[in-house]
Amino acid sequence: MTVTATSVDQSGQLQPSSAPSARGRRLLRLVPALASVLCGVLLYISFPPRTLWWLALPAFAGFAWALRGRTWKAALGLGYLFGLGFLLPLLVWTGVEVGPGPWLALVAIEAIFVALVGVGVAAVSKLPAWPVWAAAVWIAGEAVRARVPFRGFPWGKIAFGQADGVFLPLAAVGGTPVLGFAVVLCGFGLYEAGRLVAERRRTRVPRRGAAAAALLSVAVPVVGAVAARPLVSDKAEAGSATVALIQGNVPRAGLEFSAQRRAVLDHHVRETLKLAADIKAGKAARPDYVLWPENSSDIDPFTNPDAAAVISGAARAVGVPLSVGGVVEKDGRLLNEQILWDPVKGPTQTYDKRQVQPFGEYLPLRGMVGAINKNWTSMVRQDFSRGSEPGVFDIRGAKVGLATCYEAAFDWAVRDTVTHGAQMISVPSNNATFDRSEMTYQQLAMSRVRAVEHSRTVTVPVTSGVSAVIMPDGRITQKTGMFVPAYLVQKVPLRTSETPATALGILPEIALVLVAAGGLGWAIGSGLRGRRTVGA
């Protein structure tokens, strides 16, 4: 027996109650919100250390389903939820040592950019070939996020999740904007293709133009990636160099590692002396130069003779120049500096980090932050100053570009080392403050993308791991474990040619931002014309 809820209308007649359907509608309203969060989590899962790069496609397909045709208010909320689902787990490492406050604040701010992108995607979702406009809107959002606030935070660019993916060769075509655009376009195109198939089954009305646009949205990125493969090469163009990376390890993980600065320096000296002994014993090839990580000498060797002495001893033992990561003070300015240390001449060339990390190497809004938590201000007692010149060391005829740690996330900071002559790139880093979090693997993936983007060998010497040698095609040929002392020695190709991405620089990103602006302008104009028509 079926029981139907009833109510009495104004005429006194019994009518089926609307309560169940109203409740159902309320529950249905939650489905897009839940889908947005889950798709954001799916996008996070596509990032390293996992190799599930392809999950980015269904993540964006589901996001498109949630957004298409929504009002701007609904799209704003759904975009924010997608951003939280993606960024909360992706950036959890930012709170490893300082607690959840900074992590949650960072995510809350960064998700606003994703929310605004959601509004833009919803606005263009009714335009012809909308996946193109929508994917460009996403890249425009990344472009803004990479620049503001506090000089930007590009972490979480879609391109950085594609180091193991089929789309990776597109990095050589137009850098991270083109690579990210292709992935997002393909995801949106998959949703549009599925939507049109369902619509065709329901209405029996073919929409050939829309179907062709959807199929091209999927096919063009894939075909483009295949066509770009010849741009990816590990062939030596200017000879080769044998390079050694030193990972000395730290006394302990966390912020306290810097309290034992001499111990960190000694660890790197010890591992270099071990390399020297193995070279003498024939167990390791003699390198042309040795690369130490960022913060390998937090003791200023220019003002501390004992630090200079042990570095000189290590350089003499191995018999080749060392690139040392030091913290130095010059004219009252604190600098994160790479120092090329010759075994005979001592320090000869330097590079000062230009993109210093907000809230890590300098403290914006110091007064406000101190009012919230004085412990945070004590962690950054003195702000680091920024360097002004690109870093390219000329080491025995090889030109080594330098992008220190956080700088690897910024397109310009890596590119201008190549445009200034770098034949290979080194990304000296210090991840000890983030313990065994995924941060190390996320950053390593960035370096793999940079290798393909500029067709250069990229070396990543890290204080505590993972240190690695990356070929110009993005392959990791050697790597260390985490929190172990180790060295790597490898012969690597030196290259001089420029990829289209290197030559074009910021132009592909500007073009995609203009496409996004054009789509948004079209959508806004169409909406205004529609309102005038209704009003008439």
Side-chain angles (χ1 to χ4, degrees), residues 134-186:
V137 168
W138 181 275
I139 298 305
E142 286 192 344
V144 174
R145 199 161 65 86
R147 290 166 173 83
V148 295
F150 313 126
R151 298 193 172 214
F153 186 71
W155 220 277
K157 272 191 170 187
I158 300 307
F160 296 149
Q162 296 295 309
D164 291 292
V166 298
F167 299 103
L168 181 60
L170 289 171
V173 176
T176 59
V178 167
L179 174 53
F181 175 77
V183 175
V184 180
L185 175 62
C186 196

Side-chain angles (χ1 to χ4, degrees), residues 442-502:
Q442 293 170 10
Q443 190 180 52
L444 185 61
M446 293 178 191
S447 294
R448 294 179 63 191
V449 172
R450 299 305 184 193
V452 174
E453 182 178 12
H454 301 293
S455 193
R456 295 292 188 271
T457 298
V458 177
T459 56
V460 188
V462 186
T463 51
S464 56
V466 173
S467 299
V469 178
I470 305 167
M471 289 291 100
D473 59 4
R475 289 180 299 117
I476 296 176
T477 51
Q478 288 194 70
K479 65 179 181 179
T480 69
M482 292 184 72
F483 293 100
V484 292
Y487 68 77
L488 303 175
V489 181
Q490 186 169 325
K491 187 176 182 180
V492 300
L494 301 176
R495 292 179 56 82
T496 55
S497 62
E498 288 189 354
T499 64
T502 307

Side-chain angles (χ1 to χ4, degrees), residues 214-495:
L215 290 175
L216 286 173
S217 297
V218 177
V220 169
V222 175
V223 172
V226 173
R229 284 183 178 177
L231 297 174
V232 179
S233 172
D234 60 2
K235 181 181 178 182
E237 296 173 327
S240 58
T242 300
V243 58
L245 282 63
I246 300 297
Q247 176 175 301
N249 202 13
V250 297
R252 56 179 177 269
L255 294 172
E256 292 93 350
F257 91 93
S258 60
Q260 296 192 15
R261 296 178 297 168
R262 179 55 193 258
V264 174
L265 172 58
D266 288 343
H267 282 203
H268 286 82
V269 169
R270 185 180 304 121
E271 197 63 24
T272 305
L273 295 177
K274 179 182 177 183
L275 168 62
D278 286 349
I279 292 170
K280 188 175 181 180
K283 297 179 181 178
R286 181 177 297 277
D288 295 301
Y289 41 89
V290 176
L291 304 174
W292 282 11
E294 178 188 33
N295 298 131
S296 47
S297 179
D298 271 0
I299 299 176
D300 186 346
F302 294 108
T303 58
N304 291 272
D306 57 333
V310 295
I311 294 171
S312 293
R316 286 195 298 270
V318 79
V320 298
L322 302 177
S323 179
V324 178
V327 174
V328 305
E329 189 168 350
K330 294 179 180 178
D331 302 321
R333 300 169 67 229
L334 192 64
L335 299 168
N336 185 333
E337 189 167 81
Q338 290 293 310
I339 309 161
L340 186 62
W341 206 283
D342 186 87
V344 177
K345 300 176 183 178
T348 57
Q349 302 172 53
T350 60
Y351 165 65
D352 299 324
K353 187 176 182 180
R354 294 170 293 163
Q355 188 71 25
V356 295
Q357 183 183 348
F359 302 100
E361 292 173 305
Y362 78 100
L363 197 60
L365 310 174
R366 184 176 287 272
M368 182 185 300
V369 171
I372 297 170
N373 190 324
K374 291 183 179 180
N375 290 333
W376 294 342
T377 57
S378 66
M379 292 175 187
V380 187
R381 293 185 177 88
Q382 181 180 351
D383 292 342
F384 278 82
S385 296
R386 298 180 180 89
S388 58
E389 298 296 328
V392 181
F393 284 170
D394 189 339
I395 315 177
R396 294 189 167 186
K399 295 187 181 297
V400 181
L402 297 162
T404 304
C405 197
Y406 185 57
E407 292 182 320
F410 293 84
D411 295 346
W412 64 268
V414 181
R415 175 180 177 265
D416 70 2
T417 68
V418 180
T419 58
H420 281 76
Q423 299 165 328
M424 63 165 285
I425 300 167
S426 185
V427 184
S429 303
N430 172 29
N431 300 334
T433 54
F434 304 112
D435 204 1
R436 296 182 180 272
S437 70
E438 293 182 356
M439 182 271 187
T440 292
Y441 302 100
Q442 293 170 10
Q443 190 180 52
L444 185 61
M446 293 178 191
S447 294
R448 294 179 63 191
V449 172
R450 299 305 184 193
V452 174
E453 182 178 12
H454 301 293
S455 193
R456 295 292 188 271
T457 298
V458 177
T459 56
V460 188
V462 186
T463 51
S464 56
V466 173
S467 299
V469 178
I470 305 167
M471 289 291 100
D473 59 4
R475 289 180 299 117
I476 296 176
T477 51
Q478 288 194 70
K479 65 179 181 179
T480 69
M482 292 184 72
F483 293 100
V484 292
Y487 68 77
L488 303 175
V489 181
Q490 186 169 325
K491 187 176 182 180
V492 300
L494 301 176
R495 292 179 56 82

Side-chain angles (χ1 to χ4, degrees), residues 52-69:
L52 303 174
W53 58 269
W54 52 271
L55 286 179
L57 305 183
F60 279 105
F63 190 40
W65 172 84
L67 288 176
R68 190 173 189 276

